[in-house]
């Protein structure tokens, strides 16, 4: 009896990037004009540095992945703002940064989204759940005591943000249009037209960050985690 061929897993490379406190001309100059304009418009110097460093890291990682110079990459936006690399054979990618950290994920075969959030007090979290989240998520979170609620909310927030990025429609994908169990890491339901075949992953980064990865695939997913510390790696190479 012939056994069916095993499903080939989707392979994701996930970079955990420590951002520097200062950037040089070599970081700014590899950004395109639109990225430079967005950086220049940020009023806070720390946020400007974080934006430049995160997008410079993204370009170097993408450039290494396809064998191109980072400054020559053409990163374009789809209709609802999802960024895509306009090069033949380019991987799907997603970027998130929060505070002095960033997360960058690449996959050659499936759309994906990542989200990274530095933990902070959220006094209005229960109100957000009541007003914006799906009924199944409200049923899961609202009965929980304070500590368990905070854990569940932090996980669910990054998972939902990563799902929206993978979906690619931005604000056209409302938070109540799908439901995720943040503890079992499974999609409970999704409205018509929303991704239903997804793989969910949650990872605590250090002691102060929550991160999530959502891959639009029904196949198993293999994740390779890599670290890039831009504070000590002056070349910032992927």
């Amino acid at each position: 009896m012939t056994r069916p061929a095993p499903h080939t897993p989707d392979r994701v490379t996930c970079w955990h990037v420590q951002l520097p406190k200062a950037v040089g001309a070599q970081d700014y100059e590899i950004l395109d004009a639109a990225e430079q304009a967005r950086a220049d418009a940020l009023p806070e110097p720390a946020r400007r540095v974080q934006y430049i460093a995160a997008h410079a890291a993204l370009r170097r990682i993408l450039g290494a992945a396809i064998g191109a110079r980072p400054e020559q990459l053409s990163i374009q936006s789809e209709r609802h703002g999802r960024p895509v690399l306009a090069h033949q054979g380019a991987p799907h990618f997603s970027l998130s940064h929060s505070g002095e950290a960033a997360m960058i994920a690449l996959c050659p075969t499936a759309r994906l989204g990542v989200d990274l959030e530095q933990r902070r007090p959220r006094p209005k979290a229960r109100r957000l759940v009541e007003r914006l989240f799906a009924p199944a998520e409200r049923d899961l979170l609202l009965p929980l005591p304070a500590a368990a609620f905070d854990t569940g909310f932090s996980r669910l927030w990054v998972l939902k943000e990563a799902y929206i990025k993978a979906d690619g429609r931005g604000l056209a994908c409302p938070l109540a249009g799908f439901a995720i169990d943040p503890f079992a890491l499974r999609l409970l339901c999704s409205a018509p037209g929303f991704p239903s075949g997804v793989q969910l992953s949650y990872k605590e980064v250090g002691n102060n960050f929550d991160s999530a990865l959502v891959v639009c695939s029904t196949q198993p997913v293999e994740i390779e985690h890599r670290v890039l510390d831009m504070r000590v790696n002056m070349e910032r190479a992927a």
Side-chain angles (χ1 to χ4, degrees):
M1 177 176 170
T2 303
R3 294 183 179 181
H7 293 300
T8 301
D10 290 302
R11 291 181 170 83
V12 175
T13 305
C14 190
W15 288 87
H16 302 275
V17 184
Q18 184 66 49
L19 303 177
K21 294 186 180 296
V23 291
Q26 73 276 16
D27 297 307
Y28 182 83
E29 290 171 357
I30 67 171
L31 306 184
D32 65 20
E35 291 167 330
Q36 291 177 355
R38 284 192 288 271
D40 294 342
L42 293 171
E44 298 177 20
R47 290 186 62 195
R48 191 178 312 121
V49 166
Q50 291 159 6
Y51 178 92
I52 293 170
H55 285 79
L58 172 66
R59 283 183 165 271
R60 289 189 170 94
I61 289 170
L62 288 174
I66 67 171
R69 294 180 61 84
E71 65 273 17
Q72 295 176 342
L73 299 180
S74 176
I75 299 176
Q76 301 178 1
S77 296
E78 294 181 333
R79 178 184 174 189
H80 294 291
R82 178 179 178 265
V84 294
L85 188 55
H87 294 262
Q88 186 174 5
H92 301 274
F93 70 91
S94 183
L95 162 68
S96 180
H97 61 91
S98 179
E100 295 182 356
M103 184 177 176
I104 297 167
L106 279 64
C107 181
T109 54
R111 293 164 63 107
L112 76 171
V114 295
D115 191 54
L116 177 73
E117 295 283 345
Q118 188 170 19
R119 290 176 187 158
R120 64 184 189 276
R122 294 181 183 267
K124 297 181 180 180
R126 285 187 180 270
R127 189 178 304 174
L128 286 174
V129 173
E130 291 170 350
R131 292 179 53 229
L132 301 177
F133 284 20
E137 294 166 336
R138 297 198 297 266
D139 292 343
L140 273 174
L141 290 186
L142 292 177
L144 297 175
F149 173 86
D150 289 345
T151 297
F153 178 84
S154 295
R155 288 185 174 214
L156 184 55
W157 185 263
V158 292
L159 285 162
K160 288 180 81 70
E161 288 287 327
Y163 180 98
I164 288 173
K165 288 183 178 181
D167 173 75
R169 286 178 290 172
L171 296 177
C173 179
L175 290 174
F178 61 98
I180 294 172
D181 184 332
F183 302 106
L185 292 179
R186 63 188 181 94
L187 185 66
L188 298 173
C189 63
S190 61
F194 286 59
S196 57
V198 296
Q199 304 297 323
L200 310 177
S201 175
Y202 166 84
K203 183 176 176 65
E204 183 178 10
V205 181
N207 296 317
N208 201 32
F209 289 88
D210 296 288
S211 72
L213 166 70
V214 174
V215 182
C216 293
S217 175
T218 58
Q219 306 296 330
V221 173
E222 291 183 357
I223 305 172
E224 178 186 2
H225 292 279
R226 298 186 183 181
V227 175
L228 175 62
D229 191 339
M230 296 181 71
R231 300 169 303 177
V232 297
N233 182 1
M234 298 310 293
E235 295 297 321
R236 295 153 167 84

